[in-house]
Amino acid sequence: MKKILITGSKSYVGTSLQKWLRNYPGKYSIDSISLRNDLWKKKDFSEYDVVLHMAGIAHVSSDPKMEEMYYKVNRDLTIETAEKSKVEGVKQFIFMSSIIVYGESSSNKRVIDKNTVPTPSNFYGNSKLQAEEGIKPLENDKFKVAILRPPMIYGRGSKGNYPKLAKVARNLPVFPDIENQRSMLHINNICEFIRLIIDNEDSGLFFPQNNEYVKTSEMVKLIAELHGKSISLTKIFNPILRIMGIKFGLINKVFGNLVYEKSMSNYKMDYQVINFRESIKLSELESGQ
């Protein structure tokens, strides 16, 4: 039985993984811990095989007053937790980084491949990248370090841009039809990926994503249809939105391009337990919305 400790007791991926692993009774023992105060430092990590580090500030802020906090939580706390894990005999440390280390999405086609150098555009992305750089040197034969850089994670109960778009889909009669591509990752697929990483005791840098790239307008239309709503896609707003996208980051977040080249996300075992259409159906029709 694998004994797993999840840091960040209220994290979306962490709580979802706990539920996911219940599908495998007897294989995993899971605890979670909050790192919001220093009490965690007294916790004995030696009883765990794996520490899955989910604690951190997940949202992007442009408030300069928040910069110090981002580095303190996303970088320094990650390194401190990894160091404690190693000293106390944990075999594997899994860190949830983000595609944000490559910067923001773009109005132009943007494909990240294995030669793409990370270029964070804000202190959220930079704090994640510096955390990665801080924990990599800790790895040895007895302490595996796995770093995951997922794109936008979505699913039932998720936060961020997905629920905002879902709300738009349920309420607006018209939505801009802009050609774009986004990498996304459903919560079930990331949970299965983490499970396999744990089973295989893997280390390295990983880029999990759904098999399908997503066009924002098509996703919005699908969500609307699932709720019995009719929404028309139009290109009439496209010129204005392209101009606005240069000045306003929010436009690029919704309609921008940001994908991983697909071979980057291949793994030796299949973690794609749900396709895109079914994942939206699962996210919407069983969410009580």
Side-chain angles (χ1 to χ4, degrees):
M1 178 183 287
K2 291 277 188 178
K3 294 185 177 180
I4 305 164
L5 178 65
I6 299 174
T7 69
S9 57
K10 295 182 180 180
S11 75
Y12 177 58
V13 175
T15 54
S16 298
L17 181 67
Q18 287 182 285
K19 295 174 185 176
W20 185 255
L21 294 183
R22 289 173 192 159
N23 296 318
Y24 303 87
K27 286 194 68 177
Y28 309 97
S29 171
I30 312 161
D31 292 328
S32 62
I33 187 172
S34 171
L35 305 189
R36 289 185 178 273
N37 56 50
D38 287 343
L39 292 177
W40 70 273
K41 295 179 181 179
K42 299 179 181 178
K43 173 78 173 175
D44 183 8
F45 281 17
S46 65
E47 61 184 285
Y48 298 101
D49 301 298
V50 182
V51 168
L52 173 60
H53 185 65
M54 298 298 309
I57 305 175
H59 62 279
V60 177
S61 172
S62 58
D63 184 355
K65 295 179 181 177
M66 288 289 293
E67 183 170 3
E68 183 179 353
M69 183 59 68
Y70 271 78
Y71 287 108
K72 182 178 180 181
V73 174
N74 287 351
R75 179 191 61 195
D76 300 345
L77 188 60
T78 298
I79 296 170
E80 189 175 2
T81 307
E83 289 174 340
K84 177 177 171 65
S85 299
K86 181 178 181 178
V87 167
E88 297 187 12
V90 174
K91 298 175 183 177
Q92 185 185 38
F93 186 84
I94 303 174
F95 173 53
M96 188 67 68
S97 187
S98 170
I99 195 173
I100 199 69
V101 301
Y102 294 103
E104 301 289 349
S105 55
S106 169
S107 57
N108 300 314
K109 186 175 181 180
R110 182 147 192 245
V111 181
I112 296 166
D113 61 31
K114 289 191 175 180
N115 296 317
T116 304
V117 177
T119 52
S121 58
N122 52 50
F123 43 78
Y124 170 51
N126 200 37
S127 65
K128 284 287 190 180
L129 183 60
Q130 289 188 20
E132 291 183 17
E133 294 168 346
I135 64 176
K136 283 178 184 176
L138 298 175
E139 184 172 21
N140 58 31
D141 291 341
K142 296 182 179 179
F143 185 67
K144 304 286 188 178
V145 175
I147 297 170
L148 280 56
R149 290 179 181 169
M152 185 179 86
I153 296 171
Y154 68 99
R156 182 178 178 180
S158 63
K159 298 179 182 179
N161 288 329
Y162 177 81
K164 295 175 183 175
L165 285 170
K167 185 176 181 180
V168 165
R170 296 191 299 271
N171 292 284
L172 287 186
V174 178
F175 192 80
D177 185 11
I178 290 181
E179 294 296 327
N180 74 316
Q181 287 186 324
R182 301 299 297 258
S183 288
M184 292 177 61
L185 183 59
H186 185 259
I187 188 63
N188 287 6
N189 289 338
I190 183 63
C191 285
E192 178 64 4
F193 186 81
I194 293 171
R195 186 185 77 82
L196 294 173
I197 289 287
I198 290 171
D199 279 2
N200 295 322
E201 299 180 1
D202 272 329
S203 61
L205 190 57
F206 300 94
F207 313 88
Q209 66 176 331
N210 289 348
N211 278 330
E212 311 94 327
Y213 293 151
V214 178
K215 179 181 174 182
T216 302
S217 60
E218 290 180 352
M219 180 177 71
V220 168
K221 188 174 179 64
L222 174 58
I223 294 171
E225 290 173 353
L226 289 171
H227 287 280
K229 306 288 184 179
S230 178
I231 189 167
S232 298
L233 302 180
T234 177
K235 297 182 183 294
I236 195 170
F237 304 114
N238 291 16
I240 298 172
L241 288 171
R242 287 195 183 96
I243 293 171
M244 292 177 66
I246 297 172
K247 296 182 178 180
F248 300 102
L250 179 61
I251 302 297
N252 272 336
K253 283 182 181 179
V254 176
F255 297 107
N257 295 272
L258 186 62
V259 299
Y260 281 130
E261 190 273 319
K262 290 192 175 180
S263 69
M264 286 180 70
S265 302
N266 292 340
Y267 186 60
K268 56 192 171 188
M269 301 173 72
D270 185 16
Y271 60 91
Q272 302 287 344
V273 297
I274 189 168
N275 64 38
F276 179 69
R277 185 177 182 87
E278 290 301 314
S279 75
I280 296 296
K281 188 175 181 180
L282 184 65
S283 302
E284 295 301 311
L285 298 189
E286 296 189 14
S287 63
Q289 295 175 333

